[in-house]
Amino acid sequence: MTATQQQDPQLQKRLQQDSIQLGGRIVYLNPFLYWRRFDSNTDRWLREPGQLTEDQITANRRRFYPELDWGELDDHQTAVHDGAVEMFLKSLDLISTFHPELGSGQMLEVERKMTITKKKAFERWVDKALRRRSREEVREQRRFERNRTWQAWREWFAMDTTHKALVPMVMLMVLSAVGGWSLGAGPSTCPTLTLPSGQTGVR
């Protein structure tokens, strides 16, 4: 059996989880499988958490996570699950847009299967997106701090009072350097070696 044949059952299982058949039509549950029909704005809207309002997400928490006690979650876990709720809402919106022929009952079937098969995948996706955003924010904050520091130094050097204070200091440093060089370059006095009388050769 070839490697491709061995992977076929896994691929088939993946496709079954990412789709549902309704009225002879295949409806994809994975929103990223519609990417060929996206424009750049839709792609960014789907991929970036925080595109829906907080009220929309809060109102649908129990809809997709009826088993979850939200009060026991820490801030990061809450953000991840809220992001997953947002992904559910976005995905259903895309499916209804690309499959306008689906009725309310069929959309309910889509939602039920999506809740079962895509919940963990959405949570992993949102977790990675939030961590990536956090790293980017840290880098941006560091870059901002560096730019602000350099700007403060430039403004300080450009001040007249700074110039007035620096000129005497620079002159003093130059004079000190010149004076030190002059002393070092002057003639040095060698000590006279006095031999004992017994070693002069005079008897």
Side-chain angles (χ1 to χ4, degrees):
M1 183 179 294
T2 65
T4 303
Q5 290 173 330
Q6 291 176 348
Q7 292 176 358
D8 282 344
Q10 298 177 359
L11 180 61
Q12 188 67 24
K13 182 179 179 181
R14 180 81 174 270
L15 290 175
Q16 288 176 354
Q17 292 178 344
D18 283 346
S19 64
I20 185 173
Q21 188 168 358
L22 295 171
R25 293 177 178 270
I26 299 296
V27 178
Y28 293 119
L29 306 178
N30 185 342
F32 298 106
L33 294 178
Y34 295 98
W35 69 272
R36 293 180 182 273
R37 304 168 71 176
F38 289 169
D39 57 21
S40 59
N41 291 331
T42 302
D43 184 71
R44 184 167 54 253
W45 170 81
L46 176 63
R47 291 177 180 276
E48 295 184 4
Q51 302 299 308
L52 302 184
T53 65
E54 184 178 350
D55 291 340
Q56 286 177 285
I57 295 173
T58 303
N60 287 279
R61 282 177 171 178
R62 295 296 179 188
R63 176 181 174 185
F64 300 105
Y65 287 97
E67 77 286 356
L68 193 62
D69 185 354
W70 289 81
E72 295 183 353
L73 303 180
D74 59 29
D75 291 342
H76 181 72
Q77 291 173 331
T78 300
V80 168
H81 286 82
D82 277 343
V85 171
E86 183 177 359
M87 287 296 294
F88 278 119
L89 295 174
K90 290 176 178 178
S91 300
L92 291 171
D93 186 30
L94 289 174
I95 291 172
S96 64
T97 299
F98 294 132
H99 296 280
E101 73 281 357
L102 297 179
S104 58
Q106 292 173 316
M107 286 299 299
L108 184 59
E109 291 185 49
V110 170
E111 180 177 325
R112 286 173 178 170
K113 184 171 182 180
M114 183 184 294
T115 304
I116 295 172
T117 62
K118 304 307 297 178
K119 185 174 291 185
K120 293 300 181 183
F122 285 166
E123 291 171 9
R124 288 193 298 269
W125 169 264
V126 173
D127 181 63
K128 291 180 181 179
L130 292 177
R131 293 183 186 278
R132 182 171 59 251
R133 176 186 292 179
S134 178
R135 290 193 297 268
E136 291 173 354
E137 289 176 351
V138 170
R139 285 196 295 267
E140 183 63 27
Q141 180 65 26
R142 289 175 178 173
R143 183 162 51 249
F144 173 77
E145 292 293 339
R146 287 196 300 269
N147 291 339
R148 188 172 64 175
T149 300
W150 280 112
Q151 181 65 26
W153 275 105
R154 285 195 294 267
E155 292 177 355
W156 184 76
F157 278 116
M159 295 173 61
D160 291 338
T161 54
T162 303
H163 290 166
K164 293 177 181 179
L166 287 178
V167 169
M169 293 176 59
V170 172
M171 292 298 297
L172 181 60
M173 292 172 62
V174 171
L175 292 175
S176 299
V178 171
W181 177 82
S182 299
L183 291 175
S188 58
T189 303
C190 295
T192 302
L193 179 62
T194 303
L195 296 176
S197 59
Q199 298 180 9
T200 59
V202 179
R203 296 182 181 273

